[in-house]
Structures are given as structure tokens and as C-alpha cells.
Amino acid sequence: MDREHSTSASMAEFLRSARTRLTPREAGLDDPGQGRRRVPGLRREELAHLAGVSVDYYTRLEQGRSRSASAEVLDALATALHLDDAERSHLHTLARPRPRQARRRPAPSVSTPPPGTCWRPSSRPAAPVSSSDGASTCWPITHSPDV
């Protein structure tokens, strides 16, 4: 699992957990809807409405399919979920993309050129010749400098 996916999955789990802990009555919803609830806590639609975001966008956040959310959206979700300061801070930390570490390129190695490499006679050592007769034939020189 790559780091970015892990971060969005962690944020998704945090949002699901916070949503299931909050009852509709605690969220200030007088009429929590008709019928029995299949899951504890708020429905996604209810939370999206309270936070002022679309249901589709909140669903993508909760399912880990959205890469990032603005600070304003995170604050609106934190307020709607009645998060305390530590939980609000944790939500922002989870949503913040981690900087990618630059891949290190291996240092170029000084090695012996492959067999058949041609050398141009000059005062500069290790000056390979690229072609000689137009047919991509490289005519070797009998003596090549040490590399």
C-alpha cells in the first residue's frame, strides 16, 4: 500500500468512526428520518448536509477516493461531527498530503567500456568514436587508452 493511499484510508476510517459516534439528536437533527437505521450514528447524507458539502464529495472522502480536502471543508466536517480540538487537529493531519521523498538516482559508475568500443586518437583519454563508414560499422583502433 503506497503512502498516499494509506493516508486517505486512515482519513476515511477516522471520518466513518466519528460519524458513527454522533447521534442525529446530538447533531441537532429534530427529525432524524423515517424508519430504522441500518447503521449507528449519522447517515452520510445528514453529515454532508450539516457540513455544507455534497453527498458525493463526502462519500468520496469517507471511502478514501478523494486525495485531499481544503481546510475549510475539514473545518466544516469537524464542526458537524462535534470534534474536539485534538480530533480536529488529527483530521487536518490525516488530510495533509505527505511530501514525497525524492528518489535517489544511483551515482554514475566509472566502468570499462563494453568490448568493441572504438577510441578516437587524441590527447584526451577515453574519447569513443561513434561511426566510421556510414553503415554504423565502428573500426577499432589497435590501441585504446586506459580508462
Side-chain angles (χ1 to χ4, degrees), residues 43-92:
R43 294 181 173 122
R44 285 182 181 143
E45 297 82 13
E46 294 166 336
L47 179 56
H49 174 74
L50 291 170
V53 297
S54 74
V55 175
D56 180 60
Y57 182 63
Y58 176 75
T59 301
R60 283 184 283 140
L61 287 173
E62 190 177 283
Q63 291 177 346
R65 294 186 293 132
S66 183
R67 295 177 186 251
S68 64
S70 69
E72 292 81 12
V73 167
L74 295 173
D75 285 334
L77 289 170
T79 299
L81 289 166
H82 296 228
L83 299 181
D84 63 24
D85 290 341
E87 291 169 322
R88 180 182 297 261
S89 176
H90 183 65
L91 178 61
H92 279 269

Side-chain angles (χ1 to χ4, degrees), residues 7 11 13 37 40 54 57 60 70 95 105 117 144-145:
T7 300
M11 186 172 86
E13 180 57 36
R37 291 181 172 268
S54 74
Y57 182 63
R60 283 184 283 140
S70 69
R105 292 184 181 174
T117 300
S144 62

Side-chain angles (χ1 to χ4, degrees), residues 79-145:
T79 299
L81 289 166
H82 296 228
L83 299 181
D84 63 24
D85 290 341
E87 291 169 322
R88 180 182 297 261
S89 176
H90 183 65
L91 178 61
H92 279 269
T93 300
L94 289 174
R96 187 177 316 127
R98 295 181 185 172
R100 288 186 173 184
Q101 292 183 356
R103 293 184 183 184
R104 290 187 177 180
R105 292 184 181 174
S109 61
V110 177
S111 63
T112 305
T117 300
C118 299
W119 299 93
R120 172 180 30 193
S122 74
S123 60
R124 296 180 306 172
V129 173
S130 60
S131 68
S132 61
D133 66 358
S136 299
T137 304
C138 186
W139 300 100
I141 297 174
T142 56
H143 132 253
S144 62

